[in-house]
């Protein structure tokens, strides 16, 4: 006699369990969870009580298949460790969560090959919109972007792809301004330390420094860069190497706040007085620059404000079923802010 294998019970509370506990039909429970405004207050409270008591977790995938709509926004970031990504994510999530959208996050850690893999995984969740922060944009990424029909927002990244919305800051111009500021202060021997140089944005920084130095007839040969993530350790190692090359270095510009902090800590260890013996400045600065001693001169970009603008655009598109976002290719340039502090 053939033995019949029974389906294993997952132990997961079902919609039917909630309906039975509340003494109503399954369709009523489904309606109360999806469109609570269509259910009476008394019935909604009864169903919500059953949901809480049983610990029911709705199957969002089933809802997406039924309605064809998703309440998730996929966000691809280069790193969860750098300040710009974390500030942007926090503000974006706060705004979208207030409007019942959930953020699904993927990170490629500045690895070009990994970028397309993470993007592919994010797109499998059938998001309502996609945000790419600090894009590297490999060829595979372009292929995926051409074959999706959702709004795609490019933030702080350079790309040839026609995004629905691109939000940028002129980071090359910012570094050029910062370099000229130091040159006008009387510094001539100015170095540049940069991380994550696989990114086109970081390459723009290096170019901005280089152009400013050459326009003032100064040598632009003191630069140390890495394709890896910005850390204080890298800052300490880089300034040590740079001072070995050029002991009379007068100033240094760092691509990230974390690198600049490492530079300043190494200067303290070596008894190099900042700014009397060496001026230090950075890009991607935050309020942390105000609290270190001496306070750190920096260029700052309001990523929190950029995130709120991004969320506002996404909500506008998704709320209007007739909005033709595929025909829209908008670009917004966010200004940078220069904060002169004690370190330079």
């Amino acid at each position: 006699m053939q033995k019949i294998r029974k389906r294993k019970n997952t132990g997961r509370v079902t919609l039917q369990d909630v309906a039975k506990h509340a003494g109503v039909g399954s369709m009523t429970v489904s309606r109360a969870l999806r469109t609570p405004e269509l259910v009476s207050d008394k019935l909604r409270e009864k169903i919500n009580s059953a949901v809480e008591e049983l610990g029911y977790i709705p199957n969002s995938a089933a809802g997406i298949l039924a309605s064809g709509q998703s309440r998730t926004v996929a966000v691809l970031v280069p790193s969860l460790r750098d300040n710009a990504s974390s500030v942007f994510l926090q503000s974006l999530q706060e705004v979208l969560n207030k409007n019942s959208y959930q953020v699904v996050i993927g990170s490629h850690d500045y690895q070009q090959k990994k970028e397309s893999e993470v993007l592919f995984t994010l797109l499998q969740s059938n998001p309502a919109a996609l945000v790419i922060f600090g894009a590297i944009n490999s060829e595979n990424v372009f292929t995926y972007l051409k074959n999706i029909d959702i709004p795609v927002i490019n933030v702080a990244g350079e790309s040839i792809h026609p995004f629905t919305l691109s939000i940028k800051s002129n980071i090359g111009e910012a570094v050029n301004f910062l370099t000229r500021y130091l040159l006008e202060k009387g510094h001539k021997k100015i170095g540049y330390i940069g991380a994550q140089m696989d990114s086109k944005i970081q390459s723009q920084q290096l170019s901005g420094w280089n152009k400013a130095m050459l326009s003032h007839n100064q040598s632009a040969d003191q630069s140390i860069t890495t394709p890896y993530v910005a850390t204080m350790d890298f800052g300490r190692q880089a300034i040590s190497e740079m001072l070995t090359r050029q002991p009379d270095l007068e100033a240094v510009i760092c691509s990230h706040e974390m690198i600049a902090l490492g530079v300043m800590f190494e200067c303290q260890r070596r008894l190099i007085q900042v700014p009397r013996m060496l001026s230090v400045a950075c890009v991607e600065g935050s309020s942390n620059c105000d609290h270190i001693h001496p306070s750190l001169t920096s260029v700052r970009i309001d990523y929190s404000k950029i995130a709120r603008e991004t969320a506002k655009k996404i909500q506008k598109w998704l709320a209007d079923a007739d909005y033709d976002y595929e025909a829209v290719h908008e670009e917004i340039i966010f200004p940078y802010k220069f904060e002169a502090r004690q370190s330079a």
Side-chain angles (χ1 to χ4, degrees):
M1 181 177 179
Q2 184 180 6
K3 186 176 180 180
I4 299 174
R5 176 177 290 180
K6 294 183 179 180
R7 183 179 179 182
K8 185 177 179 181
N9 187 353
T10 63
R12 183 186 178 105
V13 177
T14 65
L15 188 74
Q16 289 73 23
D17 294 330
V18 175
K20 184 177 180 181
H21 190 80
V24 297
S26 298
M27 290 298 293
T28 303
V29 174
S30 178
R31 188 181 305 112
L33 295 176
R34 290 169 54 192
T35 53
E37 67 277 5
L38 300 181
V39 179
S40 68
D41 292 343
K42 184 176 180 180
L43 186 56
R44 187 168 61 248
E45 289 175 5
K46 187 177 182 180
I47 292 171
N48 286 342
S49 178
V51 168
E52 291 178 7
E53 288 180 27
L54 297 177
Y56 172 65
I57 302 174
N59 186 349
S60 59
I64 292 171
L65 289 172
S67 65
Q69 295 179 336
S70 169
R71 301 296 295 183
T72 63
V73 174
V75 185
L76 179 64
V77 295
S79 173
L80 295 174
R81 292 177 288 175
D82 66 51
N83 182 67
S85 296
S86 60
V87 169
F88 177 83
L89 279 173
Q90 182 177 353
S91 296
L92 183 74
Q93 188 160 305
E94 284 176 359
V95 177
L96 291 177
N97 283 356
K98 290 178 182 178
N99 293 274
S100 301
Y101 284 98
Q102 298 297 319
V103 174
V104 180
I105 302 167
S107 171
H108 52 75
D109 292 324
Y110 291 95
Q111 297 179 39
Q112 188 169 7
K113 292 181 179 179
K114 193 176 177 182
E115 184 186 34
S116 59
E117 296 174 9
V118 177
L119 176 60
F120 180 72
T121 301
L122 286 174
L123 293 176
Q124 288 182 43
S125 67
N126 192 30
L130 170 66
V131 179
I132 301 179
F133 185 87
I136 297 174
N137 286 167
S138 59
E139 286 300 320
N140 286 343
V141 167
F142 292 136
T143 301
Y144 293 142
L145 295 180
K146 289 176 184 176
N147 295 310
I148 58 176
D149 57 353
I150 58 175
V152 183
I153 299 90
N154 173 39
V155 179
E158 288 293 328
S159 174
I160 60 173
H161 181 79
F163 291 95
T164 313
L165 172 66
S166 290
I167 302 180
K168 306 176 182 178
S169 287
N170 197 333
I171 202 71
E173 180 187 299
V175 176
N176 187 279
F177 172 85
L178 190 56
T179 308
R180 286 188 284 109
Y181 171 81
L182 292 172
L183 287 164
E184 289 165 7
K185 285 283 186 180
H187 299 306
K188 296 181 179 180
K189 299 169 183 176
I190 304 171
Y192 174 84
I193 301 174
Q196 301 154 6
M197 297 310 293
D198 280 350
S199 166
K200 292 180 181 178
I201 295 294
Q202 302 310 126
S203 297
Q204 288 177 13
Q205 285 199 34
L206 186 61
S207 177
W209 165 78
N210 193 289
K211 288 178 181 178
M213 293 294 287
L214 295 179
S215 69
H216 284 70
N217 299 313
Q218 300 300 323
S219 172
D221 60 354
Q222 287 302 330
S223 65
I224 297 177
T225 62
T226 177
Y228 303 111
V229 69
T231 64
M232 283 190 282
D233 280 345
F234 172 65
R236 296 182 70 163
Q237 293 168 11
I239 193 60
S240 296
E241 181 180 338
M242 194 170 284
L243 288 171
T244 300
R245 293 183 193 170
Q246 188 166 7
D248 57 348
L249 187 72
E250 298 172 357
V252 63
I253 294 173
C254 304
S255 65
H256 294 78
E257 179 183 274
M258 292 296 287
I259 295 175
L261 293 176
V263 168
M264 293 180 74
F265 292 149
E266 182 62 20
C267 286
Q268 289 177 4
R269 191 184 72 82
R270 291 169 171 251
L271 302 180
I272 297 173
Q273 297 179 21
V274 176
R276 191 176 69 85
M277 299 170 68
L278 180 71
S279 289
V280 182
C282 76
V283 190
E284 304 279 9
S286 72
S287 58
N288 294 332
C289 296
D290 301 327
H291 302 299
I292 190 174
H293 181 75
S295 55
L296 182 57
T297 294
S298 64
V299 166
R300 304 184 192 183
I301 299 169
D302 193 344
Y303 287 111
S304 181
K305 187 175 182 180
I306 291 176
R308 293 193 295 271
E309 182 69 21
T310 301
K312 184 170 69 174
K313 292 284 187 179
I314 290 172
Q315 290 165 186
K316 176 184 176 181
W317 292 327
L318 299 183
D320 185 355
D322 297 324
Y323 192 85
D324 187 10
Y325 55 81
E326 292 183 345
V328 175
H329 303 294
E330 186 178 351
E331 182 172 290
I332 298 174
I333 305 295
F334 262 78
Y336 61 85
K337 185 177 181 181
F338 173 64
E339 297 284 356
R341 293 293 186 265
Q342 298 168 343
S343 68

